[in-house]
Amino acid sequence: MFMLNAAPRLITRSPSFTLTTVFLILALLAWFRTPAIRVQIGGDGLYHLNPFLYEHKLEDYDFHATPEEQQCFEGDHRNLTEAAPIPNVVHFIWGLKQGKGSHSHFGFIEYLSVKSALTAFGSTQVKLHYVSLDQNNEWFLKLKDNVTLVYHDPELGALGKSRTWQAAHRADLLRLQILSEEGGIYMDLDVFALRPLDTILRSQKDIIMGHEGGDRAGLANALIVARKRSTFVDRWINTYDNFSTQEWNYHSVTLPKRMALRYPEEICTLSPVAFFWPTWSYKHLEYMHSPLSPIEVSETETDLLANSGALFENQLAYHAWSQLAWDPYLKKLTPELVRTHETRFNIMIRRFLE
């Protein structure tokens, strides 16, 4: 039988325990009610979603594309008005940070990203759009004969409009301006091309994007394929008239998803595995970078062979999520480590070494 006087005796005998327990319960309740926590990385802010609240949704994916996603992947040939193929030209952006803490050292990871575009996408041209760039460092010198440099005045165009924004947000707008004016493929410098985009480039839709996360809650802008003067891209650009720096990834991930739902006739969307799988969750980062057993090495090599250089069927690229993976994993990598340390990431990108 429940005793009404049991609670007072408990408080009397162990007040510190009870108060501590109450505090922990309140803290946990506050944690679950918090949609995001802000993590400062390299001077830029990143909204890393509360793992207890969201990461299980991010990781929950059954590897089944929707009929629309599969049609996007294979190419939609039902439209009799043949649109010109999207140019197989890859655009990268570099060196937008200015002032204290800025750097323009083009490093090993950036080198591998560009090399992957040249190798796996077979790009006819790679353009590096920059404000600041050390053109004498060893990694850029290895690529200079295969890269077209495009300087951007930080006071003009998209960069002039966004001069007070953080570098990541300025790059968000600049990539859309570039795609609107030229068309092609935009890639962040922590994205790795894995397989050709032949069917994607022949899409009847003017923009192709990939879902982020198994719950398909967003469309990420780390890799965008688009025709010149895409209506969707131009509409997206116009939304930056009301941009708020308080929303870290609203305009880059959440908004394009909402626009896609409103204007489905303008955009072709791919399954999460196409560009953005595995995700940025801690579990997925460990999956990509943890040491493998000999059996796991063999399984990974078999998967890569079966999927033409990708880890998964229908995977075309991999986003390395550098804002979360840089300190624990990416910044430590060297050519020697990539060659000798058996992780899924290293095995996957080895072919891009000289």
Side-chain angles (χ1 to χ4, degrees):
M1 178 179 294
F2 178 70
M3 300 284 291
L4 288 177
N5 61 351
R9 283 205 302 270
L10 179 59
I11 293 173
T12 302
R13 292 172 57 188
S14 184
S16 61
F17 172 78
T18 302
L19 291 175
T20 301
T21 302
V22 171
F23 174 79
L24 289 174
I25 291 172
L26 291 174
L28 284 171
L29 287 173
W31 176 264
F32 276 103
R33 289 173 59 86
T34 303
I37 55 174
R38 191 176 182 90
V39 181
Q40 289 296 126
I41 301 176
D44 281 336
L46 174 67
Y47 281 109
H48 191 160
L49 297 177
N50 183 329
F52 292 106
L53 185 67
Y54 185 72
E55 285 196 8
H56 69 284
K57 297 181 181 178
L58 188 79
E59 298 167 353
D60 187 13
Y61 177 51
D62 61 5
F63 286 87
H64 287 95
T66 67
E68 294 78 14
E69 291 168 347
Q70 192 62 31
Q71 191 172 72
C72 181
F73 181 85
E74 295 174 352
D76 186 353
H77 303 295
R78 296 174 302 172
N79 192 332
L80 298 178
T81 59
E82 287 292 331
I86 297 170
N88 192 4
V89 175
V90 177
H91 303 275
F92 293 98
I93 294 174
W94 180 253
L96 300 192
K97 287 186 180 180
Q98 300 293 305
K100 184 178 179 181
S102 66
H103 73 285
S104 57
H105 179 72
F106 193 89
F108 177 51
I109 295 299
E110 291 79 22
Y111 162 81
L112 288 176
S113 178
V114 175
K115 190 72 179 293
S116 76
L118 291 165
T119 304
F121 283 173
S123 300
T124 57
Q125 188 179 25
V126 168
K127 292 187 175 184
L128 182 61
H129 301 258
Y130 75 100
V131 171
S132 178
L133 173 68
D134 175 9
Q135 299 182 33
N136 295 313
N137 81 76
E138 61 173 318
W139 297 112
F140 177 76
L141 290 174
K142 292 177 183 293
L143 294 167
K144 69 173 186 176
D145 293 337
N146 298 302
V147 172
T148 300
L149 291 178
V150 182
Y151 172 75
H152 288 261
D153 189 322
E155 299 301 319
L156 300 177
L159 295 182
K161 177 178 180 177
S162 61
R163 63 171 58 89
T164 62
W165 303 353
Q166 294 191 59
H169 293 144
R170 303 183 80 196
D172 287 344
L173 181 56
L174 180 58
R175 74 192 63 186
L176 296 180
Q177 176 185 295
I178 292 167
L179 289 174
S180 178
E181 294 175 355
E182 302 184 35
I185 305 159
Y186 171 80
M187 286 172 58
D188 276 354
L189 278 161
D190 61 347
V191 172
F192 299 88
L194 301 177
R195 296 169 59 189
L197 298 180
D198 295 345
T199 60
I200 305 299
L201 296 174
R202 294 196 299 269
S203 174
Q204 295 299 307
K205 301 289 182 69
D206 287 340
I207 181 171
I208 301 92
M209 296 182 69
H211 280 105
E212 175 184 312
D215 59 352
R216 294 175 170 85
L219 292 166
N221 71 347
L223 199 165
I224 306 172
V225 183
R227 281 190 180 83
K228 180 179 179 179
R229 292 304 175 194
S230 157
T231 301
F232 190 96
V233 170
D234 288 344
R235 184 182 287 108
W236 193 356
I237 290 173
N238 291 336
T239 67
Y240 276 86
D241 291 341
N242 300 312
F243 177 74
S244 170
T245 57
Q246 301 304 309
E247 297 288 348
W248 176 256
N249 68 347
Y250 175 76
H251 272 74
S252 59
V253 179
T254 304
L255 178 61
K257 172 67 176 186
R258 293 182 178 180
M259 290 174 58
L261 293 174
R262 186 173 182 181
Y263 306 104
E265 71 282 0
E266 296 178 358
I267 183 171
C268 196
T269 58
L270 295 166
S271 70
V273 78
F275 297 156
F276 301 112
W277 195 267
T279 71
W280 48 259
S281 74
Y282 294 120
K283 184 187 298 184
H284 282 192
L285 292 179
E286 289 179 353
Y287 174 83
M288 289 300 294
H289 295 281
S290 293
L292 302 180
S293 68
I295 293 177
E296 290 172 323
V297 170
S298 178
E299 291 172 345
T300 300
E301 291 173 342
T302 298
D303 289 339
L304 290 170
L305 183 62
N307 297 308
S308 303
L311 290 172
F312 309 99
E313 185 181 4
N314 289 359
Q315 184 182 28
L316 300 170
Y318 172 67
H319 185 207
W321 313 103
S322 62
Q323 285 196 303
L324 289 170
W326 183 257
D327 281 340
Y329 304 114
L330 297 178
K331 77 175 182 180
K332 305 171 186 177
L333 291 180
T334 65
E336 182 64 19
L337 287 176
V338 170
R339 289 189 181 97
T340 60
H341 285 213
E342 305 288 13
T343 69
R344 290 180 179 86
F345 180 78
N346 290 351
I347 296 171
M348 182 179 67
I349 65 170
R350 272 179 195 157
R351 62 183 169 127
F352 305 129
L353 294 173
E354 288 186 341

